[in-house]
Amino acid sequence: MTATTIELARAIRLQCLHMCHTKRASHLGGAFSVADVLAVLYGGVLRYDPAQPRAPQRDRLFYSKGHACTALYAVLAETGFYPQSELDTFTDNGSYFTSHVNHKVPGVELSTGSLGHALSVAAGVALAGKRRQAAWHTYAIVSDGELDEGSNWEAILFAPHHRLDNLTLVVDYNKIQSFGSTAEVLNLDPLADKFRAFNWDTVEVDGHDHAALAAALAPDGRNGKPRVVIAHTVKGKGVSFMEHQLAWHYKSPDAAQFAAASAELRAAKGQA
Ligand SMILES: Cc1ncc(C[n+]2csc(CCOP(=O)(O)OP(=O)(O)O)c2C)c(N)n1
Ligand SMILES: [Mg+2]
């Protein structure tokens, strides 16, 4: 276990970088944008036991942006669900560390990668929890371009109707999707107003500010509404030449880029 959520986020980014470099894999930009959200969730908010990944009383996290699998696989390794060395098999034939999220990996609730599905599953699971008066909380993380999928909006309508205040949705609002900015491709703004109109408890935070994230993600003081945390993030966060750059949705770092990015991540102090 790493000591702080800042160190955990750094470890996640370094592992993602390593995996994408060694296996010529993609989606580093979206892994870096969500790294702080995952670090705060797994570093103090979520209740889980890595020795019992399916424990009935666990909080459930549904990670919908399955293309950015390296961040989820990395945080689960860092928090003890499996040894880090297992990640060396990422994308290998026969490995359960597939290039989009695989539920056979310990700690993963749902296979994702075909965008637009996990929020609906999370809403159903939250409804089941509510009916059983269960103490556990359900989280979902979606990416912003993913909100172009209409299935999300069915779940966004469904959750407040059923008063699912045991559900928290995080939108990784990094403003870039695969072929352009969200503003150019299909504008989401005003996103917070849309969620408020759908009757969600709506919070906007800097998605790289750990204290703000921890406060927003805590499952307390609920008022009969599901909560959405719109996390304003930077695609490629943490490596200067990747930040805000569309190309790093797909590019794999070559040896020089890997060395430069590693050095920058290791040198970073505290948080931005
Ligand atoms: C249903 C579906 N259509 C298309 C894709 C291909 N695809 C992979 S990532 C992506 C968009 C990524 O942008 P965004 O959702 O904003 O994710 P992030 O910026 O967090 O990487 C697309 C269209 C997919 N995975 N699933
Ligand atoms: Mg995006």
Side-chain angles (χ1 to χ4, degrees), residues 214-233:
L217 293 168
D220 52 8
R222 294 305 165 92
N223 49 9
K225 294 181 179 185
R227 178 174 298 170
V228 59
V229 177
I230 299 175
H232 292 278
T233 59

Side-chain angles (χ1 to χ4, degrees), residues 64-65 114-118 141-149 152:
S64 202
K65 39 179 285 178
S114 180
L115 294 167
H117 294 292
I141 299 176
V142 298
S143 45
D144 49 5
E146 181 178 8
L147 288 175
D148 297 356
E149 298 285 354
N152 286 302

Side-chain angles (χ1 to χ4, degrees), residues 148-209:
D148 297 356
E149 298 285 354
S151 50
N152 286 302
W153 296 94
E154 296 184 23
I156 292 167
L157 194 58
F158 177 96
H161 175 81
H162 290 284
R163 302 178 63 79
L164 299 182
D165 56 3
N166 58 344
L167 173 67
T168 299
L169 166 64
V170 181
V171 179
D172 179 7
Y173 200 3
N174 62 27
K175 324 290 188 300
I176 296 178
Q177 46 196 99
S178 33
F179 294 116
S181 69
T182 51
E184 293 162 345
V185 177
L186 195 56
N187 191 21
L188 294 170
D189 284 330
L191 186 58
D193 288 349
K194 289 184 175 72
F195 275 102
R196 286 190 195 102
F198 276 72
N199 214 15
W200 284 64
D201 176 19
T202 303
V203 181
E204 290 188 84
V205 296
D206 174 344
H208 305 300
D209 178 334

Side-chain angles (χ1 to χ4, degrees), residues 1-2 8 12 38-39 41-61 71-87 96-97 102-110:
M1 287 282 287
T2 39
L8 181 54
I12 293 168
L38 288 173
L41 280 170
Y42 281 90
V45 174
L46 286 176
R47 290 163 299 180
Y48 60 88
D49 177 358
Q52 300 179 71
R54 310 296 294 177
Q57 68 274 18
R58 73 191 184 283
D59 289 335
R60 277 80 166 152
L61 171 68
L72 184 63
Y73 294 160
V75 77
L76 292 172
E78 285 293 325
T79 50
F81 283 83
Y82 37 81
Q84 279 194 355
S85 57
E86 278 200 32
L87 292 176
Y96 55 34
F97 295 106
N102 184 353
H103 72 276
K104 292 183 179 164
V105 172
V108 172
E109 300 285 347
L110 183 71

Side-chain angles (χ1 to χ4, degrees), residues 247-258:
W248 288 98
H249 183 71
Y250 287 116
K251 274 178 78 159
S252 303
D254 63 20
Q257 290 160 337
F258 172 75

